Amino acid sequence: MDSKFDEAYANRKMLFGTIPTEELVYSVKKYNISGRALEVGCGDGRDIKFILEQGLYVDGIDISTSAIHTLESRTDLEQYKDRLSCKAVDVLNFMYPVDTYDFIYGITLLDHLSEKQCCEFVKKVMLSLKTGGFALFKVHTSEDSGFTNIGTKSEFSSEIKHYFKEKELIHLFDDYELLLYIKCNELDCDHGAPHIHSFATILIRR
C-alpha cells in the first residue's frame, strides 16, 4: 500500500466512516453467515463491528500499521476482544490457513492489486475458505470516475491499480457458486470532496 493511505489513516480516525457496507450487511443477514470470518484489507474496521455484532469471530489483516493501530485501540470493540484478532501484514504475503474460515470478505481490496496479483491472491485466499463457506468482494469498476476522469473523483483514485471491467469479477470466481452480483453507483461524502463511485459486488459459496 502506498504511504498515502497509511498517512491518511494516521491523520483521521475512521477514515471511511462507520456505516457498514450495505451489500455485506444484506448478505450476512440473508444467509445467516456465522462462524469465523477473515477480512482482507480491513483498514480501521469500518465493517468489523457489524460482523462481531452478528456473533462471528473475526481475523482482520491490513498492510497499514496506522489502520491496525486504530482498530486495536477502538474502545467500542473492547467487549468483542476475545473474538477479534488483527494484524498489520500485506495480504499478498499473509500465510493463509487452509479450510479455516466460514466467511472471507474484502471491500475494495482486489482493485488495489494488479490484475496478475489479483488472480494469484484469489487462488491463495480461497484455499482458506471451508467447503460451504461464503466469500464477498466489492470492487471499483471501469465506470468509476477515477477511471473515466469524468466528474469529481476520490483523492485516493490514483491508488487503484485495477478497475474491473463488465463481469470480470464474476469470471474471477467461475469455480464457485454465484449467489449475488450487484453493480451500483454510490455517493461518497466520507472523505474528500463528494464524489460518486461505481462498484460491483459478488457473493459466492464454495
Side-chain angles (χ1 to χ4, degrees), residues 2-200:
D2 190 278
S3 59
K4 184 175 183 179
F5 265 110
D6 201 50
E7 181 180 354
Y9 276 119
N11 291 333
R12 179 185 171 189
K13 305 302 181 186
M14 304 312 297
L15 180 61
F16 296 103
T18 59
I19 299 174
T21 303
E22 184 176 357
E23 297 90 339
L24 179 72
V25 173
Y26 171 82
S27 298
V28 170
K29 290 185 174 181
K30 177 176 176 60
Y31 291 96
N32 297 312
I33 296 175
S34 60
R36 188 167 203 92
L38 169 67
E39 180 172 5
V40 284
C42 64
D44 48 19
R46 171 187 173 185
D47 291 302
I48 277 181
K49 185 175 183 180
F50 166 74
I51 298 298
L52 290 167
E53 288 174 338
Q54 307 313 301
L56 286 85
Y57 288 77
V58 184
D59 294 338
I61 60 173
D62 197 286
I63 197 172
S64 170
T65 55
S66 297
I68 293 299
H69 175 71
T70 296
L71 179 54
E72 290 178 327
S73 59
R74 285 179 57 180
T75 57
D76 62 325
L77 299 181
E78 286 183 356
Q79 61 182 309
Y80 306 113
K81 62 181 180 180
D82 61 324
R83 290 192 281 112
L84 173 62
S85 173
C86 47
K87 184 176 183 179
V89 61
D90 190 328
V91 297
L92 296 175
N93 298 330
F94 184 66
M95 299 297 292
Y96 295 93
V98 176
D99 294 328
T100 299
Y101 297 104
D102 303 283
F103 184 41
I104 295 174
Y105 65 102
I107 307 302
T108 64
L109 176 278
L110 298 181
D111 34 30
H112 285 89
L113 308 177
S114 69
E115 190 170 356
K116 179 181 179 181
Q117 287 174 329
C118 185
C119 292
E120 294 173 349
F121 167 76
V122 167
K123 290 178 182 178
K124 183 189 297 186
V125 74
M126 293 302 286
L127 292 176
S128 276
L129 191 64
K130 295 178 181 177
T131 300
F134 300 85
L136 181 146
F137 290 94
K138 184 172 183 175
V139 300
H140 292 83
T141 73
S142 56
E143 297 171 14
D144 191 272
S145 59
F147 183 79
T148 65
N149 287 314
I150 298 174
T152 303
K153 58 184 179 181
S154 167
E155 72 272 31
F156 297 116
S157 61
S158 62
E159 309 308 315
I160 302 297
K161 293 184 178 180
H162 180 61
Y163 288 90
F164 280 69
K165 298 181 288 292
E166 181 71 21
K167 295 186 178 180
E168 182 181 353
L169 188 60
I170 292 178
H171 295 317
L172 190 60
F173 294 94
D174 270 341
D175 294 333
Y176 303 91
E177 179 187 1
L178 177 63
L179 300 176
L180 178 74
Y181 181 72
I182 298 174
K183 289 182 62 181
C184 67
N185 295 323
E186 292 182 14
L187 175 63
D188 190 341
C189 299
D190 287 327
H191 59 95
H195 51 279
I196 295 177
H197 282 302
S198 294
F199 291 121

